[in-house]
Amino acid sequence: MADIFESNHRCYGYRRMRASLSSQCMHICEKVVLRLMKQEHLIAATPKRRRYGSYLGEISPAPEGDVIVTGTPGGVGAKRTPPVWMKAGDVVEIEVDAIGILRNGIRAE
């Protein structure tokens, strides 16, 4: 196992190691291969890649034309006692700093 690991630039994990051993007609289960690699300190030198590279927490300005969608906050509508619903004539305002205010009037259908 050490020879296979070294000949592949110390980048084989236990699954690739098992596949390599299987191709040489040595059928060993993954758990045994993993345990043997740990005992022999055969740990891949390359760090694990992040699964979602787009979620780095960076904030960027919103491009023109983007739509900002929000959910309903708690304490409104059916959650209130007594329930309070929007009616014709009510005005909904959404304000986002550096973008502006969006105002929409409510009308009966």
Side-chain angles (χ1 to χ4, degrees):
M1 282 179 62
D3 293 337
I4 294 170
F5 189 74
E6 293 297 331
S7 66
N8 289 289
H9 310 289
R10 302 184 62 84
C11 346
Y12 268 19
Y14 71 96
R15 288 185 179 127
R16 288 178 73 185
M17 181 66 73
R18 180 179 178 269
S20 181
L21 291 169
S22 291
S23 70
Q24 297 175 13
C25 296
M26 289 186 251
H27 301 289
I28 304 172
C29 73
E30 286 183 0
K31 287 183 180 180
V32 173
V33 172
L34 181 59
R35 187 170 8 109
L36 291 172
M37 287 181 72
K38 283 183 181 178
Q39 286 176 359
E40 297 298 320
H41 304 290
L42 303 176
I43 298 169
T46 56
K48 195 171 187 179
R49 287 184 294 180
R50 293 180 63 109
R51 186 171 185 150
Y52 299 109
S54 62
Y55 297 107
L56 297 177
E58 295 178 6
I59 298 173
S60 61
E64 272 187 51
D66 272 11
V67 176
I68 299 172
V69 180
T70 63
T72 304
V76 298
K79 301 284 184 181
R80 292 186 64 168
T81 308
V84 176
W85 303 103
M86 299 184 105
K87 55 190 174 298
D90 287 347
V91 176
V92 177
E93 284 188 358
I94 300 170
E95 182 175 1
V96 178
D97 292 342
I99 295 178
I101 299 174
L102 171 65
R103 273 187 202 95
N104 285 318
I106 305 299
R107 63 179 181 183
E109 289 186 328

